[in-house]
mmCIF file of all heavy atoms in Angstrom:
data_model
loop_
_atom_site.group_PDB
_atom_site.id
_atom_site.type_symbol
_atom_site.label_atom_id
_atom_site.label_comp_id
_atom_site.label_asym_id
_atom_site.label_seq_id
_atom_site.Cartn_x
_atom_site.Cartn_y
_atom_site.Cartn_z
ATOM 1 N N GLY R 188 -0.602 19.449 -37.439
ATOM 2 C CA GLY R 188 0.781 19.929 -37.345
ATOM 3 C C GLY R 188 0.850 21.429 -37.098
ATOM 4 O O GLY R 188 1.956 21.922 -36.905
ATOM 5 N N LYS R 189 -0.246 22.198 -37.128
ATOM 6 C CA LYS R 189 -0.213 23.609 -36.885
ATOM 7 C C LYS R 189 -0.951 23.919 -35.586
ATOM 8 O O LYS R 189 -1.886 23.256 -35.217
ATOM 9 C CB LYS R 189 -0.867 24.366 -38.087
ATOM 10 C CG LYS R 189 -0.129 24.220 -39.389
ATOM 11 C CD LYS R 189 -0.792 25.089 -40.459
ATOM 12 C CE LYS R 189 0.013 24.973 -41.787
ATOM 13 N NZ LYS R 189 -0.579 25.812 -42.858
ATOM 14 N N GLN R 190 -0.547 25.023 -34.965
ATOM 15 C CA GLN R 190 -1.139 25.442 -33.732
ATOM 16 C C GLN R 190 -2.471 26.115 -34.014
ATOM 17 O O GLN R 190 -2.648 26.828 -35.013
ATOM 18 C CB GLN R 190 -0.229 26.423 -32.966
ATOM 19 C CG GLN R 190 1.074 25.831 -32.514
ATOM 20 C CD GLN R 190 0.878 24.775 -31.490
ATOM 21 O OE1 GLN R 190 -0.079 24.814 -30.712
ATOM 22 N NE2 GLN R 190 1.749 23.818 -31.428
ATOM 23 N N PRO R 191 -3.543 25.844 -33.186
ATOM 24 C CA PRO R 191 -4.813 26.471 -33.447
ATOM 25 C C PRO R 191 -4.732 28.012 -33.187
ATOM 26 O O PRO R 191 -3.859 28.464 -32.429
ATOM 27 C CB PRO R 191 -5.761 25.793 -32.390
ATOM 28 C CG PRO R 191 -4.802 25.280 -31.349
ATOM 29 C CD PRO R 191 -3.527 24.958 -32.049
ATOM 30 N N GLY R 192 -5.683 28.737 -33.818
ATOM 31 C CA GLY R 192 -5.679 30.154 -33.622
ATOM 32 C C GLY R 192 -6.230 30.585 -32.291
ATOM 33 O O GLY R 192 -6.469 29.726 -31.395
ATOM 34 N N ARG R 193 -6.448 31.898 -32.150
ATOM 35 C CA ARG R 193 -6.933 32.406 -30.844
ATOM 36 C C ARG R 193 -8.312 31.807 -30.502
ATOM 37 O O ARG R 193 -8.569 31.429 -29.369
ATOM 38 C CB ARG R 193 -7.007 33.931 -30.923
ATOM 39 C CG ARG R 193 -7.416 34.578 -29.615
ATOM 40 C CD ARG R 193 -7.441 36.066 -29.704
ATOM 41 N NE ARG R 193 -6.065 36.544 -30.077
ATOM 42 C CZ ARG R 193 -5.817 37.837 -30.305
ATOM 43 N NH1 ARG R 193 -6.777 38.738 -30.288
ATOM 44 N NH2 ARG R 193 -4.559 38.211 -30.591
ATOM 45 N N GLY R 194 -9.168 31.766 -31.514
ATOM 46 C CA GLY R 194 -10.510 31.209 -31.270
ATOM 47 C C GLY R 194 -10.457 29.713 -30.907
ATOM 48 O O GLY R 194 -11.190 29.254 -30.031
ATOM 49 N N GLY R 195 -9.584 28.966 -31.579
ATOM 50 C CA GLY R 195 -9.446 27.541 -31.313
ATOM 51 C C GLY R 195 -8.857 27.338 -29.876
ATOM 52 O O GLY R 195 -9.322 26.383 -29.195
ATOM 53 N N ARG R 196 -7.914 28.141 -29.473
ATOM 54 C CA ARG R 196 -7.369 27.991 -28.145
ATOM 55 C C ARG R 196 -8.413 28.318 -27.067
ATOM 56 O O ARG R 196 -8.460 27.659 -26.003
ATOM 57 C CB ARG R 196 -6.110 28.863 -27.960
ATOM 58 C CG ARG R 196 -4.893 28.441 -28.771
ATOM 59 C CD ARG R 196 -3.670 29.139 -28.266
ATOM 60 N NE ARG R 196 -3.732 30.599 -28.458
ATOM 61 C CZ ARG R 196 -3.301 31.186 -29.555
ATOM 62 N NH1 ARG R 196 -2.751 30.503 -30.555
ATOM 63 N NH2 ARG R 196 -3.382 32.515 -29.637
ATOM 64 N N ARG R 197 -9.251 29.310 -27.314
ATOM 65 C CA ARG R 197 -10.301 29.625 -26.384
ATOM 66 C C ARG R 197 -11.281 28.467 -26.256
ATOM 67 O O ARG R 197 -11.754 28.129 -25.122
ATOM 68 C CB ARG R 197 -11.033 30.898 -26.810
ATOM 69 C CG ARG R 197 -12.041 31.385 -25.809
ATOM 70 C CD ARG R 197 -12.827 32.601 -26.276
ATOM 71 N NE ARG R 197 -11.914 33.717 -26.537
ATOM 72 C CZ ARG R 197 -11.651 34.135 -27.765
ATOM 73 N NH1 ARG R 197 -12.209 33.612 -28.822
ATOM 74 N NH2 ARG R 197 -10.851 35.171 -27.932
ATOM 75 N N LEU R 198 -11.619 27.832 -27.362
ATOM 76 C CA LEU R 198 -12.528 26.700 -27.312
ATOM 77 C C LEU R 198 -11.916 25.517 -26.577
ATOM 78 O O LEU R 198 -12.578 24.834 -25.798
ATOM 79 C CB LEU R 198 -12.903 26.290 -28.772
ATOM 80 C CG LEU R 198 -13.878 25.099 -28.914
ATOM 81 C CD1 LEU R 198 -15.182 25.431 -28.223
ATOM 82 C CD2 LEU R 198 -14.065 24.772 -30.374
ATOM 83 N N LEU R 199 -10.596 25.311 -26.804
ATOM 84 C CA LEU R 199 -9.956 24.182 -26.080
ATOM 85 C C LEU R 199 -9.902 24.436 -24.600
ATOM 86 O O LEU R 199 -10.119 23.528 -23.773
ATOM 87 C CB LEU R 199 -8.519 24.015 -26.596
ATOM 88 C CG LEU R 199 -8.407 23.453 -28.036
ATOM 89 C CD1 LEU R 199 -6.951 23.445 -28.479
ATOM 90 C CD2 LEU R 199 -9.011 22.056 -28.138
#
Side-chain angles (χ1 to χ4, degrees):
K189 295 184 178 180
Q190 296 295 330
R193 182 178 301 176
R196 289 196 298 268
R197 185 183 300 111
L198 180 60
L199 291 176

